[in-house]
Amino acid sequence: MDYLQMESYLKAISDHNRMLILKYLSKDSLCICEFTELLDMTQPAISQHMRKLKQAELVTEEKRGRWTIWALNVRHPQYPILIHLLSLLPEPERTIETLVAEGKKVVCN
Amino acid sequence: MDYLQMESYLKAISDHNRMLILKYLSKDSLCICEFTELLDMTQPAISQHMRKLKQAELVTEEKRGRWTIWALNVRHPQYPILIHLLSLLPEPERTIETLVAEGKKVVCN
DNA sequence: TGAATCAATAAGCAAACACTTATATAATAA
DNA sequence: TTATTATATAAGTGTTTGCTTATTGATTCA
């Protein structure tokens, strides 16, 4: 890994909203519309963050019906470091359980 | 460590020139004028990078005569992670040994 | 078919970033 | 003292970032 690759990797992570997204993904695969609820952000904002994470190969996407399910890329060479960094961060106030309780968790299969 | 602290920490690291600076500092304490030689950058550019690293508490400074000697802050809570990230990066072409050979290494004590 | 839903992309914008040159400050050397 | 050296800071500039609103594309449902 050279200096520019490392820079891209770290820049993809060093945004508090993207760290929140990654923190959620370390628990569960989620779609854009769920993130808009969890982070209270607009759909295009989330989409653009996911594009950044995808370009850094930190996440993978899987189309399922109307939804795109996003997951952590566990095959990324620096995946263990990412998990460690995420472990240093507190649990977000808004949890996936809240989503479920509000009937906003997407179930697609 | 909350999300904004983590963001500041990672943003301080995620610049290829600052990573080079940190890589050098993981070997030796150095002053600004040595970095201008090693990185081929202007003095104010280096000074401004050091300020960023200092604000993130990644480095410490010690005034010695006209020079300011910069060192890695080994007491930073995430120092071990930093060292690990730096270990993933290749050795820079321009080495401190080259500086010495050219008589440009500062000796101050 | 037509309406609704989920998501990607485009364009625009304010703020942050990484430099530059110019200048100021402080210590040393002549 | 005066000149030199090392560094910090100020101001300016082009680029990047993280959002916004508007639009488009694709899938599902009635």
Side-chain angles (χ1 to χ4, degrees):
Chain A
M1 183 175 248
D2 67 26
Y3 287 80
L4 287 177
Q5 289 171 327
M6 181 68 92
E7 178 175 314
S8 306
Y9 171 71
L10 292 175
K11 280 202 168 136
I13 303 178
S14 37
D15 173 87
H16 63 282
N17 282 322
R18 284 196 292 276
M19 291 195 309
L20 257 177
I21 289 173
L22 292 168
K23 182 80 172 176
Y24 281 121
L25 288 183
S26 70
K27 296 258 170 52
D28 217 337
S29 295
L30 293 162
C31 64
I32 305 284
C33 62
E34 289 169 324
F35 281 121
T36 65
E37 289 287 337
L38 291 167
L39 305 192
D40 195 31
M41 285 179 73
T42 63
Q43 174 265 316
I46 300 285
S47 271
Q48 286 160 27
H49 280 307
M50 298 319 287
R51 184 168 51 190
K52 285 222 163 191
L53 293 172
K54 182 183 160 190
Q55 281 167 350
E57 298 183 303
L58 289 167
V59 296
T60 59
E61 59 182 331
E62 186 200 336
K63 305 265 177 195
R64 217 181 289 181
R66 312 183 249 191
W67 297 280
T68 309
I69 310 297
W70 295 85
L72 278 196
N73 177 13
V74 298
R75 291 189 182 78
H76 189 285
Q78 262 59 65
Y79 175 77
I81 298 180
L82 178 60
I83 291 298
H84 179 249
L85 289 172
L86 293 176
S87 76
L88 300 172
L89 297 170
E91 294 302 316
E93 302 112 50
R94 199 99 161 81
T95 64
I96 298 174
E97 288 70 40
T98 332
L99 269 195
V100 176
E102 293 170 2
K104 287 175 178 164
K105 182 81 184 67
V106 165
V107 185
C108 46
N109 32 359
Chain B
M1 183 175 248
D2 68 26
Y3 288 80
L4 286 177
Q5 289 171 326
M6 181 68 90
E7 178 175 315
S8 306
Y9 171 70
L10 292 175
K11 280 203 167 135
I13 304 177
S14 36
D15 173 88
H16 63 281
N17 281 322
R18 283 196 294 276
M19 291 194 310
L20 256 177
I21 289 173
L22 293 168
K23 182 80 174 177
Y24 281 121
L25 288 182
S26 70
K27 296 259 170 52
D28 217 336
S29 295
L30 294 163
C31 65
I32 305 283
C33 62
E34 289 169 323
F35 282 121
T36 64
E37 289 287 337
L38 290 168
L39 304 193
D40 195 28
M41 285 178 74
T42 64
Q43 174 266 315
I46 300 286
S47 270
Q48 286 160 26
H49 281 307
M50 298 319 287
R51 183 166 55 189
K52 284 224 161 189
L53 292 172
K54 183 185 162 190
Q55 280 166 351
E57 298 183 301
L58 288 167
V59 297
T60 60
E61 57 182 332
E62 186 200 335
K63 304 265 178 195
R64 217 181 290 179
R66 316 184 244 191
W67 298 280
T68 308
I69 309 297
W70 295 85
L72 278 196
N73 177 12
V74 297
R75 291 190 181 77
H76 189 285
Q78 262 57 66
Y79 173 77
I81 298 179
L82 178 61
I83 291 297
H84 179 247
L85 289 173
L86 293 176
S87 77
L88 300 173
L89 296 170
E91 293 303 316
E93 302 112 50
R94 199 99 161 82
T95 66
I96 298 173
E97 287 70 39
T98 331
L99 269 195
V100 176
E102 294 170 2
K104 288 173 178 165
K105 182 80 183 67
V106 166
V107 185
C108 47
N109 31 358

